[in-house]
Amino acid sequence: MAASGVKFGTSGARGRVSDMTDSVCFAYTSGFVQHLRSAGRLAAGGDVGIAGDYRPSTGRIMAACAAAVRAAGCRPRNFGRIPTPALAAHGIARNMPTMMVTGSHIPDDRNGIKFNLPTGEILKDDEAGIRAQMVELPAGAFDADGGLLDPPSLPAAESAALEAYLSRYLAFFPRDWLAGLSVGLYEHSSVARDAFHAVLTGLGARVTRLGRADSFIPVDTEAIRAQDVELARGWAARGDFDALVSADGDGDRPLIADAEGHWLRGDIAGILCARELGAAAVVTPVSSNTAVERCGWFAEVLRTRIGSPYVIAGMQALRARALAPVVGYEANGGFLTETAIARDGRRLPPLPTRDAVIVAVAILGAARRRDMSVADLAAELPGRFTYSDRITDFPTALSARRLAAFASGDRAADGDAAAAVFGAAFGDVAAVDHTDGVRIIFTSGEIAHLRPSGNAPELRAYTEADSAQRARDMNRICMDILNGWRA
């Protein structure tokens, strides 16, 4: 790990494609399988599911992972190019560990491997268990550049995981759940594009496929590209659509736009989805919009560090207190369910990993059921608005050094330090929260939250205010300040 440049991020390994050689991917997979074996979660000869996204490097990495599974005495099963939640759900249903080869939303010069236990995503204790494994690479198997000398072929792709994922929603929601709605599906290079089409049309929507791409497009649901903003506005200007939907590269983070082509923030979509599913308790990271508490729709809201493993741990804690239904969501819109959802005699099994399809289906269905537009649904929330952006190629060590100035351990000193940098733009500082990164709460109620990405050399800024324009303006000011930190 130290030598390769491929590090653990959220739920797995991620790095530059040039660094994710066959030998590195083989080693990470071997560590994962050995951890499963030592924990009694995988028997000798047991199945390990593998799937991937549409990045050019994904097929090679899937093959290297399959080779490592075989070398460990287990059986790799290839479920093809399918959404991450489809693979995870199938693994949970079959008590089978799985691996998803994807870099999610980041550019295709990077990739990653997400690891799932038979019960769902790995948590931080599992990450430590994988790190602790002593892995021996087979002698003579790799060339000097880390490539397999005898490149393996993947097993034939199976359709069972995708079919079960589609059935999950088509069997739970009424067949006319989306009848009469006209939906634009922004497909780009998302591995979820065909699943979205099948579910939306299967529930009665009229779907127009838009923007399909043969090359990979890094759609980030937290830092939406200007191109995607313009595309949505252009499609909406036709006047044909009640809403637009999309997802990121591996299909676990949704994008939902209203009839005017305005993409909803992921944390707003998460609140609306949780409400429609009848959630009693909600878990979300500290960076999410505070409208979730202010709306008063949920019996309990629990805040965590950023990252699905922390959200999952929080959901497990609430489930242990016999709260139900328990759900979670992230600021990127990815939605998780810890307990089953029941409706009209039907049951939606829990899926404690990020999903995108459930968000689109729940919000569009809520709009139809209540005879409201998507924009009207969002307008029912308190007027709190968030915005986020990131600086790419910002070294993680530099982020840590800069943010340390606001995390001395002395509450008053941290507030003074934050005020010295941000006070001229945003006013007096009420508090500094160190749950994850540095979250500065100003006496006005406005918020600026700074955090290095856990998956890439990026520094993110999240801002929150009482108007969308103010949140954007705050974020622009933060970006100017952070860019000055490169010097």
Side-chain angles (χ1 to χ4, degrees):
M1 291 181 184
S4 69
V6 179
K7 307 293 186 183
F8 257 106
T10 300
S11 306
R14 186 171 291 182
R16 294 184 179 88
V17 168
S18 58
D19 294 331
M20 294 190 70
T21 62
D22 292 346
S23 61
V24 168
C25 297
F26 191 106
Y28 265 100
T29 301
S30 299
F32 173 56
V33 172
Q34 288 178 195
H35 170 64
L36 292 168
R37 295 289 301 276
S38 65
R41 295 179 180 232
L42 178 64
D47 293 345
V48 179
I50 302 173
D53 66 12
Y54 288 135
R55 292 163 192 271
S57 61
T58 289
R60 174 187 63 79
I61 295 174
M62 288 173 66
C65 294
V69 171
R70 288 193 195 97
C74 294
R75 183 172 74 130
R77 296 180 62 184
N78 173 19
F79 291 105
R81 307 301 175 94
I82 63 173
T84 291
L87 177 68
H90 194 64
I92 292 169
R94 300 295 185 276
N95 195 37
M96 174 179 59
T98 58
M99 305 167 58
M100 179 72 182
V101 177
T102 180
S104 188
H105 59 283
I106 59 179
D108 64 359
D109 63 341
R110 297 174 180 270
N111 212 327
I113 308 170
K114 291 184 178 180
F115 301 114
N116 294 310
L117 305 173
T119 53
E121 290 186 30
I122 63 168
L123 301 182
K124 290 303 177 182
D125 288 346
D126 299 297
E127 180 182 319
I130 295 170
R131 289 178 181 275
Q133 299 300 317
M134 296 296 293
V135 172
E136 183 176 350
L137 298 180
F142 302 95
D143 62 26
D145 296 323
L148 280 159
L149 292 172
D150 184 16
S153 59
L154 279 166
E158 304 177 42
S159 62
L162 180 58
E163 291 171 357
Y165 183 64
L166 302 182
S167 178
R168 169 182 174 83
Y169 297 115
L170 295 177
F172 178 72
F173 290 99
R175 301 298 290 181
D176 63 349
W177 182 246
L178 303 179
L181 294 182
S182 177
V183 181
L185 172 59
Y186 176 28
E187 296 189 315
H188 62 93
S189 54
S190 175
V191 78
R193 58 196 182 189
D194 293 332
F196 259 93
H197 186 267
V199 171
L200 294 174
T201 56
L203 295 177
R206 299 188 306 275
V207 178
T208 302
R209 307 180 88 147
L210 304 166
R212 193 178 184 95
D214 294 326
S215 58
F216 189 82
I217 298 175
V219 172
D220 186 342
T221 63
E222 280 190 275
I224 300 173
R225 303 179 315 148
Q227 303 98 303
D228 295 325
V229 171
E230 290 306 314
L231 282 172
R233 289 175 178 167
W235 290 324
R238 301 179 185 178
D240 298 335
F241 303 121
D242 295 297
L244 302 169
V245 301
S246 189
D248 68 338
D250 67 321
D252 67 349
R253 306 178 182 196
L255 276 175
I256 315 291
D258 62 23
E260 301 300 317
H262 300 131
W263 296 115
L264 298 185
R265 302 294 301 173
D267 44 11
I268 294 299
I271 299 171
L272 298 178
C273 181
R275 184 192 195 189
E276 179 59 26
L277 295 178
V282 175
V283 181
T284 194
V286 66
S287 59
S288 294
N289 194 310
T290 59
V292 67
E293 288 96 355
R294 297 185 182 207
C295 68
W297 293 345
F298 311 107
E300 183 155 353
V301 176
L302 176 65
R303 295 284 186 155
T304 71
R305 292 184 62 185
I306 297 171
S308 55
Y310 300 109
V311 174
I312 293 167
M315 293 194 304
Q316 291 173 347
L318 294 185
R319 175 171 54 82
R321 292 170 43 196
L323 292 170
V326 177
V327 306
Y329 66 86
E330 297 185 272
N332 56 43
F335 198 87
L336 310 88
T337 53
E338 177 65 20
T339 58
I341 306 295
R343 171 174 284 176
D344 299 330
R346 295 181 296 272
R347 180 180 181 274
L348 185 68
L351 181 53
T353 194
R354 286 191 302 257
D355 188 21
V357 168
I358 185 63
V359 180
V361 171
I363 292 176
L364 294 178
R368 178 183 178 274
R369 181 178 63 82
R370 301 181 61 197
D371 194 23
M372 297 173 67
S373 69
V374 171
D376 287 341
L377 288 179
E380 292 188 320
L381 284 164
R384 291 293 285 180
F385 299 85
T386 58
Y387 198 83
S388 62
D389 203 351
R390 72 193 191 279
I391 301 176
T392 58
D393 297 319
F394 199 100
T396 302
L398 178 58
S399 293
R401 187 170 75 250
R402 289 291 189 175
L403 296 184
F406 315 109
S408 68
D410 183 313
R411 183 175 301 180
D414 292 341
D416 290 343
V421 176
F422 298 96
F426 306 137
D428 294 338
V429 173
V432 179
D433 185 332
H434 301 107
T435 300
D436 198 340
V438 174
R439 186 172 176 84
I440 306 165
I441 301 96
F442 300 94
T443 55
S444 63
E446 295 177 340
I447 297 170
H449 185 173
L450 316 175
R451 176 184 178 269
S453 170
N455 298 322
E458 299 175 350
L459 182 57
R460 290 184 178 267
Y462 309 82
T463 49
E464 181 173 334
D466 287 336
S467 76
Q469 186 61 52
R470 177 58 176 168
R472 286 193 294 270
D473 290 344
M474 288 180 67
N475 205 272
R476 176 184 50 77
I477 293 168
C478 285
M479 288 292 105
D480 289 343
I481 292 171
L482 302 189
N483 272 308
W485 287 0
R486 292 180 185 273

